[in-house]
């Protein structure tokens, strides 16, 4: 029954990469806690770089500075 | 003051259906807990089927298999 | 597959009331969108009144003022 | 290490306003709790007015009524 | 910069198991998307079985029925 | 109508500090976006240091190492 939410910046993750995140997160919960994969839910949120900040700065700006 | 977040896959929910979800979730909190509807907030997130997984599989793939 | 998160202040909701919230939210998604109840997940978060604010004020203080 | 999530309706917030939300929320955690800004994360979600409800009504409808 | 939130029922996950979830989820984001582990955040929420529902039923009740 | 969720580790934030977070976050949304404070909601989640990870490590362990 676990629920896993993965938030990443929207910077071109492919459908295949998302499939890997879903499979890997589900396996993690099965391996570590013995959870039932059939009811394990993974939701990926892709967030615009204008809408994500670290250290008080937009990721958009940090990318321009090579961070 | 309750806050309700409903996450569904983005598969064509209409404006009218979303209005029903908002009205119904608000009524539920009023009926069960006597909450004040005026400050009850409902937020619906629609998530791409590539970004939602169950049983380790993307919903996009599960839909193709008729699941 | 819907996921519903209900956040309320921790002010004595009973186990039976929580069961009603879970049943009611699940039914709502079935009725409005035809979702499969078997994979509908509801998570209730109870939040201390010191940790919830409206109008810039802690609920703890608003309760003292009869709001 | 704090994580701050700000949800607003999608009604034209500019890149500069989002930068101000990110800077301001980060400063708040530094000022009040002495948190390290370098690991403070802010994520802004913009939600369609059809998908946000208050008092059981869609914001889209409330806006039409001048609320 | 990814943020991963893992919600599980509160049923005795140990400190060591939580450490494994944190390490494993971080590694997943590094392996699949090349994310920087230094700014990858994982938050685990443990939720009472009275507060989690599947199929319209509290987990507390489902556990009694051997589900 | 904004909704702000602040997640911090549970390390002794006082009621007064939480009141400052609530007031400050509300003011930020009023100042930057002209939002109505009366319907601005702030929820603070305090998370055990065993349940929060950065760089693949539990905060509990990082604190022992003086990080």
């Amino acid at each position: 029954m676990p629920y896993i939410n993965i938030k990443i910046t929207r910077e071109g993750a492919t459908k295949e990469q998302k499939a890997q995140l879903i499979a890997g997160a589900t396996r993690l919960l099965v391996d570590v806690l013995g959870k039932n994969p059939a009811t394990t839910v993974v939701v990926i949120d892709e967030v615009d770089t204008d809408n994500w900040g670290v250290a008080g700065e937009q990721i958009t700006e940090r990318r321009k500075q090579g961070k």
Side-chain angles (χ1 to χ4, degrees), chain A residues 54-67:
Chain A
V54 173
E57 296 177 307
Q58 271 169 325
I59 298 300
T60 312
E61 295 309 302
R62 289 171 67 89
R63 292 291 187 248
K64 287 181 189 166
Q65 300 159 30
K67 289 182 197 170

Side-chain angles (χ1 to χ4, degrees), chain A residues 39-66:
Chain A
T39 53
T40 297
V41 174
V42 181
V43 172
I44 300 168
D45 292 324
E46 296 177 278
V47 177
D48 288 347
T49 55
D50 280 3
N51 290 17
W52 193 304
V54 173
E57 296 177 307
Q58 271 169 325
I59 298 300
T60 312
E61 295 309 302
R62 289 171 67 89
R63 292 291 187 248
K64 287 181 189 166
Q65 300 159 30

Side-chain angles (χ1 to χ4, degrees), chain A residues 2-24:
Chain A
Y3 171 81
I4 301 129
N5 179 229
I6 299 174
K7 286 187 200 296
I8 54 175
T9 42
R10 192 189 307 279
E11 297 179 280
T14 65
K15 182 182 167 189
E16 174 56 25
Q17 287 173 321
K18 294 177 195 175
Q20 289 175 29
L21 290 177
I22 289 168

Side-chain angles (χ1 to χ4, degrees), chain A residues 26 35-40:
Chain A
T26 303
K35 295 293 184 181
N36 179 4
T39 53
T40 297

Side-chain angles (χ1 to χ4, degrees), chain A residues 23-34:
Chain A
T26 303
R27 204 177 316 119
L28 182 67
L29 274 287
V30 173
D31 289 351
V32 175
L33 292 176

